[in-house]
Amino acid sequence: MFLIQEEKGSAAYNAGYEIGYEVGQWIAQNPLLAVFIGAVVSVGFVWILTKVVKQIRTFGE
């Protein structure tokens, strides 16, 4: 916990925060991109979920 608190003031933390902030602003200003990213994340989640369910169903065979 103390390590994380110390790194918050570091240059690497600030650079990562700034990059994340800029990417977030860019996505927020492009609604089509936000919808596309949401669709990709949703499809990826469903794909992983189907793989997990298939593993569970075929576990004893």
Side-chain angles (χ1 to χ4, degrees), residues 15-54:
Y17 180 81
E18 289 175 10
I19 291 170
Y21 184 79
E22 290 295 324
V23 169
Q25 287 278 333
W26 192 60
I27 291 172
Q29 292 173 359
N30 295 301
L32 189 60
L33 182 62
V35 169
F36 179 71
I37 290 172
V40 169
V41 168
S42 297
V43 168
F45 178 74
V46 170
W47 180 75
I48 290 172
L49 189 61
T50 56
K51 296 293 181 184
V52 170
V53 169
K54 184 178 179 184

